[in-house]
Amino acid sequence: MKQIPIALQMYTLRNETEKDFTGTLQKVAGLGYAGVELAGYGGLSPKELKGTLDSLNLRVASSHIPLSELRNDVHKVIHGQLELGSSYIVCPYLPPEERTEKHYFQLIDDLNSIGEKCFNEGITLCYHNHDFELTTLSNGKPALEMILNETNPHWVKAEFDIYWLTFAGEKPVEWLKRYQGRTPLVHLKDMTLDGERFFAELGTGGVELTSVLDYGIHSDVDWWIVEQDESRISPIESVRMSLDYLRLNKI
């Protein structure tokens, strides 16, 4: 059976990394995560960070890089990722002022241009969704569908966030099936069953995790990535619980 490694999106532990970046990485390794998805380098150079991660037996699953950086100096970003041994760069977020139909067309052009440059250097660009990309445009389709349909499938892949898909009323596994071959990274999150629909540790909420995990084994998923934007308990305890859930389910 295909074994998909599990990484942690380090944004989850942003308060901890601000106090002790290397020490927090040590805790992540101690919990048993195979890798990390970076959201910053903690003030280290890519070379220094690579050395630290190697010493902890942690791989870089991918890196979230702001769209502004990708637009302004993608070659510098690519060089850093190659030093880190990372195969994936993720465009993580679209600013509120750019969530218009006009801006989505510009985004598509940018992703194609950036994605081609990444592809030529052996790096894959992925787009990470939230719920706002599921709003319907004038063509009757959600923005996320247009983004993926209008970008080159070789240059631009998806990092589906199953919490935000669920939050928007979608079924994550249907998106995974629809874009089979373009989903190497998947953000695993759960959601409370109350009206707040708050972020929850895996297995404690209402997101349909089982179908996603089962489908991933038979698809092109390279990394499961645990992320919890906010937590009502200690973030370290939160990510431990989520990893334990995946282990208990033989992931």
Side-chain angles (χ1 to χ4, degrees):
M1 181 181 291
K2 177 182 176 181
Q3 290 293 116
I4 301 172
I6 303 165
L8 176 67
Q9 166 52 256
M10 292 302 294
Y11 177 79
T12 309
L13 302 180
R14 57 196 176 279
N15 294 328
E16 288 75 11
T17 57
E18 284 181 9
K19 298 171 187 174
D20 185 355
F21 188 80
T22 301
T24 303
L25 288 173
Q26 290 172 341
K27 291 179 181 179
V28 172
L31 290 174
Y33 280 91
V36 291
E37 181 173 59
L38 297 169
Y41 300 165
L44 301 175
S45 69
K47 183 177 180 181
E48 291 169 333
L49 180 52
K50 171 66 171 168
T52 298
L53 293 170
D54 284 349
S55 71
L56 297 172
N57 199 29
L58 287 171
R59 290 182 283 160
V60 179
S62 57
S63 295
H64 276 202
I65 306 292
L67 181 57
S68 57
E69 287 187 38
L70 295 173
R71 284 169 169 163
N72 293 334
D73 198 349
V74 67
H75 293 292
K76 179 180 178 181
V77 172
I78 291 170
H79 179 72
Q81 294 306 295
L82 291 173
E83 282 193 291
L84 286 165
S86 172
S87 298
Y88 296 103
I89 291 171
V90 179
C91 175
Y93 188 70
L94 196 62
E97 64 273 15
E98 293 194 32
R99 299 172 193 173
T100 68
E101 195 154 333
K102 174 184 175 182
H103 284 100
Y104 282 126
F105 284 111
Q106 180 60 55
L107 174 67
I108 288 166
D109 288 342
D110 289 341
L111 291 177
N112 274 325
S113 175
I114 295 164
E116 182 180 18
K117 293 180 177 70
C118 291
F119 180 83
N120 289 337
E121 297 294 335
I123 298 280
T124 299
L125 176 68
C126 297
Y127 184 82
H128 174 276
N129 71 279
H130 292 77
D131 61 325
F132 57 81
E133 293 98 342
L134 279 303
T135 55
T136 302
L137 302 177
S138 62
N139 61 6
K141 296 181 179 180
L144 183 58
E145 183 175 331
M146 186 176 77
I147 290 168
L148 293 175
N149 288 354
E150 297 298 325
T151 49
N152 187 309
H154 299 293
W155 300 342
V156 182
K157 308 289 185 181
E159 179 180 61
F160 285 142
D161 185 304
I162 67 170
Y163 170 94
W164 288 117
L165 287 170
T166 303
F167 191 93
E170 301 287 329
K171 294 186 180 299
V173 75
E174 291 182 0
W175 282 83
L176 287 168
K177 290 178 179 178
R178 189 183 311 170
Y179 292 99
Q180 170 73 32
R182 293 185 73 180
T183 62
L185 309 174
V186 176
H187 267 201
L188 297 177
K189 297 183 187 178
D190 214 335
M191 181 171 62
T192 61
L193 293 169
D194 56 22
E196 188 177 0
R197 298 192 292 172
F198 195 70
F199 306 101
E201 290 71 36
L202 296 179
T204 68
V207 172
E208 181 46 60
L209 294 168
T210 303
S211 62
V212 170
L213 296 172
D214 287 346
Y215 186 73
I217 294 171
H218 305 290
S219 69
D220 64 316
V221 176
D222 286 338
W223 283 94
W224 297 125
I225 300 173
V226 172
E227 181 186 34
Q228 191 155 326
D229 301 41
E230 303 283 349
S231 178
R232 290 173 172 155
I233 61 175
S234 159
I236 288 287
E237 176 64 11
S238 174
V239 300
R240 181 196 66 76
M241 288 175 61
S242 289
L243 183 59
D244 284 349
Y245 168 83
L246 293 173
R247 285 170 166 166
L248 285 172
N249 285 273
K250 299 184 183 284
I251 301 300

